[in-house]
Amino acid sequence: MRVAGAEAGLKEAIYAQLRVAQRAARALAAAGTEEKNRALVAMADAIWARRDEVLAANAQDVAAAEAAGDTPARIDRLRLTERRLEDTLAGVNQVASLPDPVGTVEAAYTRPNGLRIEKVRVPFGVIAMVYEARPNVTVDAAVLAVKTGNAAVLRGGREALCTNRALAAAMRDGLQRTGLPADAVQLIEHVDRGSVDILIQARGLVDLAIPRGGAGLIQRVVENARVPVIETGVGNCHVYVHADADLAMAERIVLNAKLQRPSVCNAIETVLVDRALSGWLPRLVGALLHHGAEVRACPESLAVLRAAGVVHERLRAATEEDFATEFLAPILALKLVDGLEDAIGHIDRYGTRHSEAIVTQNAQAAETFLKRIDAAAVYHNASTRFTDGFEFGFGAEIGISTQKLHARGPMGLAELTTYKYVVRGTGQVRG
Amino acid sequence: MRVAGAEAGLKEAIYAQLRVAQRAARALAAAGTEEKNRALVAMADAIWARRDEVLAANAQDVAAAEAAGDTPARIDRLRLTERRLEDTLAGVNQVASLPDPVGTVEAAYTRPNGLRIEKVRVPFGVIAMVYEARPNVTVDAAVLAVKTGNAAVLRGGREALCTNRALAAAMRDGLQRTGLPADAVQLIEHVDRGSVDILIQARGLVDLAIPRGGAGLIQRVVENARVPVIETGVGNCHVYVHADADLAMAERIVLNAKLQRPSVCNAIETVLVDRALSGWLPRLVGALLHHGAEVRACPESLAVLRAAGVVHERLRAATEEDFATEFLAPILALKLVDGLEDAIGHIDRYGTRHSEAIVTQNAQAAETFLKRIDAAAVYHNASTRFTDGFEFGFGAEIGISTQKLHARGPMGLAELTTYKYVVRGTGQVRG
């Protein structure tokens, strides 16, 4: 009984925050671009003015994570420095300078009965962000939401709670100073799992939920959500080196796509090499091993490599499961394929519809690949690492959608808006 | 144990259908517009050629529904006639003549590093439709899906199973004759609730689920889905008659919006009348009563009406709950409001973000209403009944979205597609 009471209390507390956010969202939806941009600058200024407080709060979070024995990688993601804060705030000012999608008329036409119909970009309303350690997401998400006229309800991770509190308080302060509602930025301070479920099931109060983090978090949100969700993050991506590839280019692209930043979703996990190029394998794998990668080769490619005398502790046999794994590490699976159809078949089977590339000088093979592969981004002669809001020229990124509904691939400001139809008549009724 | 075994068997059977649909979707995605249009015509022709079989199957469904004591309204929705079939098939030929959104390039630009990025409309893949009695949805959904390069997996209601079987078989036949995969149209013949859950939880196999039907069905899908869903259907819509309204126009619009077809989601449930117009209430309510409506009036308006001598068995007092109810019947709630802000406040509180109208000659009041009201369609001096794919000029409609993610309001062909980024490079890697 006491647990049920506590849960009901938590739900009521979060619903109260959501209702307040909804009211703030309505005020923000009516705000002009200049007003919102001034608010963004004020939010950044307020954080900078309180940077000592923010960094002290972060030091507290970092100390707790260290005491709890968190991994160095996680602690690094959690840690804020004055330099990192500066970079984040430079990003805020950059967002202020971007065009505002709200109010854009996407279509306008007059029907035979004289009705004038306009399709106009509008904010979603309340956007719930559910995320993990990185405190910069707290700032990025709030700023992108405010820029697009939405209220941001932020449910960050337990590890970053002190930091997020300090950041949210500063941003609310900045908002208030420009006359926009501070309540457009809400931090959910209950960091147990129950608060995530309440948030993503709040139909009528949350217009959109975006999870950002590891596969476990995203899975949890997708499984339990009752409000619309945009899934982000998982990428089992491939480079296919076609028989007619420029091999120097192929080597550059494979190394970049795997090793430039192995921990992110647009890095590749498998390279597919055309059987016609098996003579090139020792060169490619040699370069990968030289740059620190572990290579898990299919039986045929492993035999080719061994016959060519390539033996290394980081070269081993691939299992079937390797082809289905997002390593998020400098590990690359390697498979010889029997031409374009075989490559497409492998990607259809194992790919997660994120980013897929072909390297070839054959224009027809390239067009077939680009047309046939079902993924958010398909590449010809370029690294999959470009699937990113900044690299695509959006100027900002809230995440990379791996679903097909609403937004696909990198999401910038426009993807944080929806539309409505504005219909002007002169007394028309339906016959 | 036997139940669990049966469920596992059902899941396996449905997953097998989905995998087959996925393969068919890949072939369809590569098909050209002409090829798809020929398939649509062939699907309509095949239904017409087998109309005796279809109508006999429908007669079987209707007889079973009558024997089960279904309501006349439900039986009417279920019943096919040669005339209704003709209308449906005329619609198919109309869809064939519409422009194909697939392949449309929505944006194309070159980045400073030389990468050429195109944002191209592509099919979703596999679309699952979960719906109730009306057999025309079976045809509409399959045809709209094929036109947009998607496979349609159709889970119709138990009542229409014989009809749906006959229709699906004919459409598959038509597809096959034009060389497109028959498997792009799949009927799920298991009509117990378990099959709905399996379908809407098939992550990786269903790209989009669209429920169409009553509130219960939609609720069930939204609560249990693990795949992306577009919610359709529920509409608690309003007409607000502003103090500066043309009263003859207001009367026409209120009568039309409530009574032209009370059972649909874009009909209104409440009329909000500016307090300044209370002298007009007897005229408005008289007209509503005259046309067979039941009026549920707020205390203040009821007092005004009684004082003016308006007494009628279909005029009664409104409860708070009436303002939150989608009657789907010729019942209209009536409330006096204290100007524009009060009207907006009422709609914010009770509306379902579907369709909302203001009647006024005051341009400023109209613009405030159009901007401030959060709904899929907002109207000035027109009936809410125009929220419809055909009335909006889309030429087709798969449903009316009541969510903000992806599609809002009437959904036509474009809303059955997503996009992908096609990126062409010359060896670019990320620095």
Side-chain angles (χ1 to χ4, degrees):
Chain A
M1 282 298 280
R2 280 174 66 186
V3 171
E7 270 171 18
L10 179 56
K11 184 171 169 179
E12 209 21 76
I14 290 175
Y15 272 43
Q17 278 189 274
L18 291 173
R19 280 190 211 100
V20 164
Q22 200 171 48
R23 275 198 296 276
R26 285 181 185 138
L28 217 54
T33 301
E34 281 312 307
E35 208 176 346
K36 293 186 290 185
N37 288 343
R38 273 198 304 277
L40 258 51
V41 173
M43 288 161 76
D45 288 349
I47 292 174
W48 189 244
R50 295 194 188 188
R51 63 189 176 281
D52 292 344
E53 201 177 307
V54 170
L55 294 175
N58 183 253
Q60 221 177 313
D61 284 332
V62 168
E66 282 169 343
D70 253 4
T71 62
R74 280 174 59 91
I75 289 169
D76 181 59
R77 279 201 289 274
L78 177 59
R79 194 188 310 274
L80 273 184
T81 61
E82 199 164 296
R83 175 62 200 277
R84 284 184 178 181
L85 208 51
E86 260 181 316
D87 286 349
T88 300
L89 300 183
V92 177
N93 287 302
Q94 155 87 358
V95 171
S97 72
L98 291 173
D100 181 359
V102 172
T104 307
V105 177
E106 297 208 327
Y109 54 99
T110 304
R111 296 288 302 150
N113 62 5
L115 281 183
R116 175 79 184 161
I117 301 184
E118 288 182 354
K119 185 177 178 183
V120 184
R121 285 257 140 230
V122 296
F124 268 99
V126 174
I127 298 180
M129 288 289 303
V130 180
Y131 54 103
E132 289 173 333
R134 285 180 200 278
N136 67 301
V137 176
T138 305
V139 180
D140 292 350
V143 157
L144 293 171
V146 169
K147 172 82 187 193
T148 48
N150 295 291
V153 176
L154 308 166
R155 167 52 173 79
R158 176 187 299 275
E159 324 75 24
L161 183 57
C162 296
T163 317
N164 289 341
R165 262 195 203 125
L167 289 170
M171 291 191 291
R172 289 170 57 93
D173 196 32
L175 272 168
Q176 193 121 41
R177 278 191 214 170
T178 53
L180 286 178
D183 289 331
V185 174
Q186 299 273 337
L187 183 71
I188 303 287
E189 301 200 12
H190 303 269
V191 287
D192 57 334
R193 288 184 158 197
S195 66
V196 172
D197 287 353
I198 291 167
L199 208 51
I200 63 180
Q201 295 176 354
R203 280 166 56 75
L205 290 170
V206 169
D207 296 294
L208 172 62
I210 305 177
R212 271 185 70 175
L217 172 76
I218 289 166
Q219 184 77 3
R220 183 177 174 82
V221 170
V222 169
E223 303 233 319
N224 293 291
R226 305 280 178 272
V227 302
V229 168
I230 296 182
E231 237 184 287
T232 66
V234 178
N236 185 5
C237 308
H238 303 75
V239 166
Y240 165 48
V241 185
H242 180 257
D244 299 337
D246 170 333
L247 296 179
M249 184 196 288
E251 182 181 324
R252 248 181 6 251
I253 288 175
V254 171
L255 288 174
N256 184 261
K258 178 70 256 183
L259 294 173
Q260 195 247 354
R261 202 167 162 205
S263 64
V264 293
C265 59
N266 57 18
I268 61 168
E269 312 300 337
T270 297
V271 57
L272 302 169
V273 177
D274 203 283
R275 189 161 280 134
L277 301 176
S278 39
W280 173 66
L281 284 183
R283 157 108 204 182
L284 174 69
V285 171
L288 283 161
L289 293 168
H290 174 74
H291 286 90
E294 175 181 326
V295 177
R296 301 193 184 171
C298 69
E300 191 186 343
S301 58
L302 195 62
V304 169
L305 288 161
R306 288 199 171 140
V310 183
V311 179
H312 195 284
E313 56 176 0
R314 280 187 273 105
L315 170 63
R316 54 186 70 170
T319 64
E320 191 66 14
E321 210 194 314
D322 285 328
F323 295 117
T325 302
E326 188 185 16
F327 299 112
L328 297 170
I331 303 172
L332 185 65
L334 161 64
K335 193 179 178 194
L336 280 173
V337 292
D338 204 16
L340 185 59
E341 285 302 320
D342 196 18
I344 292 173
H346 182 96
I347 293 169
D348 277 351
R349 180 159 179 200
Y350 294 104
T352 54
R353 325 269 172 257
H354 190 299
S355 298
E356 304 292 350
I358 183 172
V359 184
T360 186
Q361 299 301 106
N362 180 325
Q364 202 189 323
E367 290 311 310
T368 300
F369 184 91
L370 295 175
K371 175 142 202 200
R372 292 267 304 278
I373 290 292
D374 177 22
V378 287
Y379 291 87
H380 175 212
N381 288 348
S383 170
T384 56
R385 288 278 295 115
F386 288 108
T387 304
D388 173 284
F390 295 92
E391 296 295 334
F392 272 28
F394 301 169
E397 184 186 282
I398 190 84
I400 296 178
S401 165
T402 50
Q403 70 183 32
K404 296 180 185 175
L405 196 69
H406 185 74
R408 207 172 183 196
M411 294 185 288
L413 292 173
E415 288 71 23
L416 290 180
T417 62
T418 177
Y419 58 82
K420 73 177 173 189
Y421 288 100
V422 177
V423 186
R424 293 180 175 90
T426 50
Q428 283 85 346
V429 296
R430 193 158 162 191
Chain B
M1 281 298 282
R2 281 174 66 187
V3 171
E7 270 172 19
L10 179 56
K11 184 171 169 178
E12 208 21 73
I14 290 175
Y15 272 43
Q17 277 189 276
L18 290 172
R19 280 190 211 100
V20 164
Q22 200 172 47
R23 275 198 296 276
R26 285 182 185 136
L28 217 54
T33 301
E34 282 312 309
E35 208 176 347
K36 293 185 289 186
N37 288 344
R38 273 199 304 276
L40 259 50
V41 173
M43 288 161 77
D45 288 350
I47 292 174
W48 190 244
R50 297 195 188 186
R51 63 188 175 281
D52 292 343
E53 200 177 307
V54 169
L55 294 174
N58 184 253
Q60 222 178 312
D61 284 333
V62 167
E66 282 169 343
D70 253 3
T71 62
R74 280 173 60 90
I75 288 169
D76 182 59
R77 279 201 288 274
L78 178 59
R79 194 188 310 273
L80 274 184
T81 60
E82 199 163 297
R83 176 63 201 277
R84 283 184 178 182
L85 207 51
E86 261 180 315
D87 286 350
T88 300
L89 300 183
V92 177
N93 288 303
Q94 154 87 359
V95 171
S97 73
L98 291 173
D100 181 0
V102 173
T104 306
V105 177
E106 297 208 327
Y109 53 100
T110 304
R111 297 288 301 151
N113 62 6
L115 280 183
R116 175 79 184 161
I117 301 183
E118 288 182 356
K119 185 178 178 182
V120 184
R121 286 258 140 229
V122 296
F124 267 100
V126 174
I127 298 180
M129 288 290 302
V130 180
Y131 55 102
E132 289 173 335
R134 285 181 201 277
N136 67 303
V137 176
T138 304
V139 180
D140 291 350
V143 157
L144 293 170
V146 169
K147 172 81 186 194
T148 47
N150 295 292
V153 176
L154 307 165
R155 166 51 173 80
R158 176 189 300 276
E159 324 74 26
L161 183 58
C162 296
T163 316
N164 288 341
R165 263 195 201 124
L167 288 170
M171 291 192 290
R172 289 170 57 92
D173 197 33
L175 272 169
Q176 193 122 41
R177 278 191 213 168
T178 53
L180 285 179
D183 288 332
V185 174
Q186 299 273 336
L187 183 71
I188 303 288
E189 300 200 13
H190 304 269
V191 287
D192 56 334
R193 288 185 157 197
S195 66
V196 172
D197 287 353
I198 292 167
L199 208 51
I200 63 180
Q201 296 177 353
R203 281 166 56 73
L205 290 170
V206 170
D207 295 294
L208 172 62
I210 305 177
R212 272 186 68 175
L217 172 76
I218 289 166
Q219 184 78 3
R220 184 178 173 81
V221 169
V222 169
E223 303 235 318
N224 294 290
R226 304 281 178 271
V227 303
V229 168
I230 295 182
E231 237 183 289
T232 65
V234 177
N236 185 6
C237 308
H238 304 74
V239 166
Y240 165 47
V241 185
H242 180 258
D244 299 338
D246 170 333
L247 296 179
M249 183 196 288
E251 183 181 325
R252 253 186 354 258
I253 288 176
V254 171
L255 288 174
N256 183 262
K258 178 70 259 182
L259 295 173
Q260 196 246 355
R261 201 167 164 205
S263 64
V264 293
C265 59
N266 57 18
I268 62 167
E269 313 301 337
T270 297
V271 58
L272 302 170
V273 177
D274 203 282
R275 188 161 282 135
L277 301 177
S278 40
W280 173 66
L281 284 183
R283 156 108 205 180
L284 174 69
V285 171
L288 283 161
L289 293 168
H290 175 74
H291 286 90
E294 174 181 326
V295 177
R296 301 194 183 170
C298 69
E300 191 186 343
S301 58
L302 194 61
V304 170
L305 288 161
R306 288 199 172 140
V310 184
V311 177
H312 195 285
E313 56 177 1
R314 280 187 272 106
L315 170 62
R316 54 185 71 169
T319 63
E320 191 66 14
E321 211 194 315
D322 285 329
F323 295 116
T325 302
E326 188 184 17
F327 298 112
L328 296 170
I331 302 172
L332 185 66
L334 161 65
K335 195 180 178 194
L336 280 173
V337 292
D338 203 16
L340 185 59
E341 286 301 321
D342 196 17
I344 292 174
H346 182 97
I347 294 170
D348 277 352
R349 179 159 180 201
Y350 295 104
T352 55
R353 323 269 172 258
H354 190 300
S355 299
E356 304 292 351
I358 184 172
V359 184
T360 186
Q361 298 301 106
N362 179 326
Q364 203 189 323
E367 291 310 309
T368 301
F369 184 91
L370 295 175
K371 175 142 202 200
R372 291 267 303 281
I373 290 292
D374 178 22
V378 286
Y379 291 86
H380 175 211
N381 288 348
S383 171
T384 56
R385 288 278 294 114
F386 287 109
T387 304
D388 173 286
F390 296 92
E391 296 295 334
F392 272 28
F394 301 169
E397 184 187 282
I398 190 83
I400 296 178
S401 165
T402 50
Q403 70 182 31
K404 297 181 185 175
L405 196 68
H406 185 74
R408 208 173 181 193
M411 294 186 289
L413 293 173
E415 288 71 24
L416 290 180
T417 62
T418 177
Y419 57 82
K420 73 177 173 188
Y421 288 100
V422 176
V423 185
R424 293 180 175 91
T426 50
Q428 283 85 346
V429 296
R430 193 158 162 192

